[in-house]
Amino acid sequence: MNTKRNRVIILAKRPNGIPKEEDFRLIETDIKECKEGMVLVKTLYLSVDPYMRGRMSGIKTYISPYELEKPITGGVVGEVIESKSSDFRVGDFVVGNLNWSDFNTVDSRELRKVDPDIAPISTALGILGMPGLTAYFGLLDIGKPVQGETVVISGAAGAVGTVAGQIAKIKGCRVIGIAGSDKKTDYLVKELGFDAAVNYKKISDIKKEIKNNCPNGVDIYFDNVGGEISDAVMPLLNYKARIILCGQISQYNMDKPDIGPRVQTYLLIKSAMMKGFIVMDYADRYEEGIKQLAQWLSEKKLKYIESIVNGLENAPKAFIGLFKGENLGKQLVKVS
Ligand code: NAP
């Protein structure tokens, strides 16, 4: 029996609006015994993701809500420190959907091995993990980009947006990113090779700004944020445009649905297609996605950036930062 204590972050209150640190609480528990078929994992990095906000609301969507007074769970990369499973050895790096805690004792079937020789292990939560796969399948399977087309990406400087934009560049598209600071727009253009980027927090007429940067209209809109930014893109769509509904972060903290312009007319007159998706729809193709992303990474066709906050106790703060635009690239918490 392990005598070390385990710090765990639980949901203390259902957030109202933007989550606050008081909505979470850090507690201490014993580490659960590692029984046959299980492994004990020490958390190295944990991922904070916008979709978790929905789970905190207590409403069942495509995924069950977090329970009050129970641990927050999410993407975790860790090291196996004890194993009673033939699938994993002590020292293996693994990724799984685990508790926000220092240690997790889990059934080995809930874990996937991470190869540290391919890329730093933290990338299993970013470019070579759920956000990278979201960008890959959303852009390629729904967007179907064709060389020379114009692609607009909202939330462009985040974990998903940075990857989606770079894949669109690999496919020979003109790529325009929308993000919330000059540091972010500079990064998109100077480091990632976007053709242009718009700081939506600095301009008075977002539609005019996007139009100026898309002289040939918009063929693909990769939507991570929704709201007024998406309202501005809709009138610029081209014939047979594709809208990839990936996320709506501008809406996640609202307690009532937002009413905006009706979009059906834009879709109708442009024979355009708008499709929502959840990355899990592609679970049977994850291997293909990770292999391709890893290859582009090794060929230096893809770059990535991480924003790292230190300490398990700071995970709520890092999560809240997503709604304030504090992250550039993938937001992670380094736990150990
Ligand atoms: P992220 O972009 O790394 O982080 C969130 C970013 O959203 C912030 O940095 C901020 O950047 C922006 N933001 C926050 N509030 C905003 C608002 N009110 N209006 C406009 N922008 C706002 O997060 P991510 O992990 O890459 O996720 C991006 C989107 O994809 C999210 O909506 C997420 O829910 C969605 N997603 C969907 C799937 C799926 O399966 N469909 C999977 C993963 C993620 P700025 O500084 O630019 O404002």
Side-chain angles (χ1 to χ4, degrees), residues 152-156 176-181 185 196-214 218 221 223 225-236 261:
V152 171
I153 302 183
S154 60
I176 288 83
I178 305 170
S181 73
T185 53
V198 172
N199 176 354
Y200 72 93
K201 287 189 180 159
K202 221 171 77 171
I203 52 172
S204 55
D205 189 340
I206 174 99
K207 186 178 162 200
K208 193 169 146 202
E209 198 72 23
I210 300 169
K211 192 174 180 187
N212 287 344
N213 281 295
C214 301
V218 176
Y221 175 43
D223 187 13
V225 310
E228 289 176 9
I229 291 175
S230 298
D231 294 345
V233 177
M234 296 305 291
L236 305 173

Side-chain angles (χ1 to χ4, degrees), residues 114-128:
V114 173
D115 183 350
D117 294 331
I118 293 178
I121 53 170
S122 58
T123 58
L125 298 172
I127 192 161
L128 298 183

Side-chain angles (χ1 to χ4, degrees), residues 50 134 158-160 179-180 184 200 224 246-247 250 252 277-279 322 327:
T134 302
V160 175
K184 292 184 180 189
Y200 72 93
N224 284 312
C246 175
S250 71
Y252 295 172
F277 78 108
I278 302 298
V279 66
L322 294 173
N327 60 305

